[in-house]
Amino acid sequence: MKRKAFTLVELLVALTVLLVVIIATARIFGTTSKVAAIGEASADLQATATAMEKVIRGDIERIARDGVLGLQCVAVRNDVNRSGPLGAATAPLLDPTRPADEFIRCDQLVFFGRGHEESGVYLGGRSQEQKYALSLYKGGTLKVAPEFTSYEFMVRLGHATQFPSLLVDTNNPTLQPDADFLGTAGTGMPPVPWMWSATPTLSAAYFDGAANLNKYMTSQPEAREWTLARQVVMLADDGNPMPGTTPTAKNATWFHSLQASNMKANSATGIVQYNNQAAGSDPPSPQIEADLTIAQDMLWPNRALTASRVDTAATTIAEFRALAVYGATSSNLSKDFYFDQTGRLPWTKDEGTDPTAATLKLGYARDRIANALFGAPLGPINPANPMGRTFGLWGYPRAEKVAPSMDRTDSMVALPLLAGNCSSIQIDWTWSDGTAHFETPDGTPQVAMLPATPTATPVRNANVIDVPLSGLTTQSWPQQPFMPPSPPNATGAISVTGGATVGNVPRSIPWFGLPDSMFPIQQRRGVTMLAGPSVSDIDTPLSAPSYATAIRALKPSVASDPTKSAPFTPAAGDIETVAIASPPIDCARIERLCPTSPVGVLRPLGSATQVYSYQAIFGPNGDKPFREARYPGGVERVMRTDYTPWPTALRFTITLHDPKLAFSQGRVFQFVVELPKADKP
């Protein structure tokens, strides 16, 4: 019987057709899967950005004007870890999807607010005797665990560090190690999000115990996996005395207990700690309360807070203001302040006076605020100690995506998490037209006297007495607005210097922060400085109070010119004047710009310095530009040297990534938040 079957050629053709169909179907499914993944990632990022913006707006709406506002802009080059004593040519880029010469932004914002906040500490395990007893209707009692709340708080927004491997030490199972510093004791570098090292060089300190001599790997994940933190610190005091055998010693980093044996401490003794010391340690030597005055370089962010082990600090807004502005001290930098200083410290060194006697060295109010919020420079600033160039880099908190363990104190390190994958956050600030403009009832500019002329150079002309408080303006103005005449020259003639030819065309006020001249074209966002558009301005700081400062920004044609490589010092033809800051505004009181070397990178100013730091500090006096000095027969208005008008708005530019990195370069979200208005005097 003859049988029929497929031939070999027919089988091959059928298999080929089947293979083509499978490949086509796989491609369709693959494309559909990618589209679905991108859509899911886009929806996830949009939801994250929306929630994040809502939280930030809610915090800023509750900002306390009698507190302080500190902004720190930090730009780190993508290849920052490929040079310096702790770097290597083989070190990875911070973000592998970006060019090596691009900068990663790691800005921070710190402010105080008022409103209901409660601690995130777990309370479920508190024993019965440590609960409140409530009387019930018709007899009986009920014991409840109270929530820890406060009406004052401090908010820190910005990037955070991650150390998920810092678990409970197996040799000391009751202790939790925290990141202390990188390098050796003599060159200590603060924990920062861009840390990298090929060897274990990270020193740790126990949160609640003795020193930890172990070394750990310091490397942080790549920038697309960095965490964005919103650290809320309640300003409250549990009422317990400071632990220790010497109650009068300046023990600045011990913690209040919660009177519960099964709970770790949840209250740092203050926002600020004395000196750069490990968590849980004593100051270098016991110092008696009445004899101790804290210099500005001895003020640092409390290590218990940057370690995120606690979310409560026993410092009120008024006490922090007294510490920073008046130099008042306390036995634990928090409660029971000795308000022994009766006069306000000079705001900046440009006022030309030593704030105290040589034996006190309290420093200047602006620097005290900056150091308390972001950390003081460690060591002298010179090539022999490159690690000393750590301007304000001690304030990055820890925020883990997942708690390292089930331990209660380990659960605290995940509380500050705001976004899980954030490679960049840029925060700029601006004023509206007319900021600091004060008028009399008849509509003319308010007039005030200048403070006493300092002896430091440059000497201001003592003949200039009445200064119109015209503030910030973008309208047409004369060539020399409110500028003092210079001293007579050799021929006896008096010339006028410092003015800027502007013309009659109003200009818009730009955003302030790290200026565009530092960055590649694709990273320029129309940002300048009050004092000028270039990093070179740090070599020629303004004297205070300045009579008028021309605010200049890069011309749009220059900002988009590919031949203008960054960083560069703009020529006269590259910039244009966009506004004038006249009294009572003084740019030197607010800004500070400096290159820094947090991993030992030290390059000449103006070259490819790999880390830049910019600070804008706004003090408690943001609305009172003058004081009234009474004299026989009348009252005279005298300009205050601590007047720092607060920003009108803040601009947040944040790059977010989805957990699966479906968008390799992430998505950029930008929003503007207006600050609540303050009443004029």
Side-chain angles (χ1 to χ4, degrees), residues 612-632:
Y612 291 109
S613 174
Y614 163 96
Q615 288 180 347
I617 302 298
F618 303 91
N621 181 24
D623 58 352
K624 295 179 175 60
F626 53 81
R627 60 181 176 84
E628 292 187 345
R630 297 186 178 275
Y631 64 95

Side-chain angles (χ1 to χ4, degrees), residues 416-461:
L417 183 68
L418 182 61
N421 295 74
C422 174
S423 63
S424 178
I425 175 171
Q426 176 176 335
I427 308 174
D428 311 308
W429 67 277
T430 192
W431 282 320
S432 63
D433 189 22
T435 295
H437 177 73
F438 292 86
E439 295 182 348
T440 61
D442 60 1
T444 59
Q446 183 69 268
V447 174
M449 291 183 61
L450 291 173
T453 302
T455 56
T457 57
V459 176
R460 295 192 299 270
N461 190 283

Side-chain angles (χ1 to χ4, degrees), residues 292-306:
L292 181 63
T293 54
I294 303 176
Q296 63 182 29
D297 291 340
M298 292 292 103
L299 297 175
W300 300 76
N302 194 304
R303 192 65 57 83
L305 300 179
T306 56

Side-chain angles (χ1 to χ4, degrees), residues 60-345:
I60 293 179
E61 286 177 357
R62 300 182 295 167
I63 200 167
R65 284 281 185 166
D66 58 337
V68 301
L69 175 69
L71 171 63
Q72 177 161 258
C73 301
V74 178
V76 186
R77 250 182 64 144
N78 201 10
D79 60 351
V80 65
N81 291 318
R82 291 186 173 177
S83 61
L86 298 178
T90 57
L93 297 175
L94 298 179
D95 187 340
T97 67
R98 302 190 194 183
D101 62 345
E102 278 200 5
F103 282 81
I104 311 296
R105 294 297 295 268
C106 302
D107 297 3
Q108 285 187 308
L109 178 69
V110 183
F111 58 90
F112 295 86
R114 287 190 175 89
H116 178 81
E117 285 291 336
E118 63 182 64
S119 173
V121 68
Y122 173 68
L123 299 176
R126 303 191 80 202
S127 58
Q128 289 294 311
E129 64 273 10
Q130 292 153 355
K131 297 180 179 181
Y132 284 132
L134 302 180
S135 298
L136 300 181
Y137 180 66
K138 292 185 178 180
T141 58
L142 174 67
K143 290 186 177 182
V144 296
E147 63 178 1
F148 299 105
T149 64
S150 176
Y151 190 70
E152 292 187 344
F153 57 88
M154 181 183 74
V155 175
R156 184 183 294 271
L157 294 170
H159 276 124
T161 56
Q162 301 174 70
F163 300 97
S165 62
L166 290 181
L167 301 173
V168 174
D169 192 337
T170 55
N171 297 323
N172 299 280
T174 62
L175 303 177
Q176 289 74 33
D178 290 318
D180 194 8
F181 57 84
L182 179 66
T184 63
T187 60
M189 164 198 152
V192 290
W194 57 88
M195 286 197 307
W196 179 90
S197 177
T199 58
T201 55
L202 178 68
S203 298
Y206 290 126
F207 160 64
D208 53 357
N212 179 351
L213 302 179
N214 297 333
K215 295 291 184 180
Y216 299 86
M217 290 300 296
T218 182
S219 299
Q220 296 289 293
E222 65 164 271
R224 294 182 297 175
E225 298 180 5
W226 286 354
T227 54
L228 184 65
R230 168 192 176 258
Q231 185 185 52
V232 179
V233 178
M234 297 195 315
L235 306 183
D237 187 1
D238 60 12
N240 290 333
M242 179 182 60
T245 58
T246 312
T248 57
K250 279 287 182 179
N251 193 329
T253 52
W254 280 104
F255 316 104
H256 295 287
S257 71
L258 297 177
Q259 295 182 340
S261 59
N262 63 340
M263 284 292 297
K264 300 296 183 182
N266 188 45
S267 177
T269 56
I271 296 171
V272 186
Q273 73 176 30
Y274 181 85
N275 207 350
N276 176 38
Q277 17 179 352
S281 64
D282 289 321
S285 61
Q287 301 186 64
I288 304 303
E289 170 66 32
D291 298 333
L292 181 63
T293 54
I294 303 176
Q296 63 182 29
D297 291 340
M298 292 292 103
L299 297 175
W300 300 76
N302 194 304
R303 192 65 57 83
L305 300 179
T306 56
S308 297
R309 294 294 186 181
V310 302
D311 61 3
T312 306
T315 303
T316 65
I317 295 177
E319 287 171 338
F320 178 81
R321 187 172 61 245
L323 172 70
V325 179
Y326 294 94
T329 59
S330 172
S331 60
N332 52 21
L333 292 180
S334 60
K335 62 178 183 177
D336 302 328
F337 263 72
Y338 281 94
F339 293 90
D340 51 352
Q341 300 296 324
T342 57
R344 182 188 65 83
L345 297 174

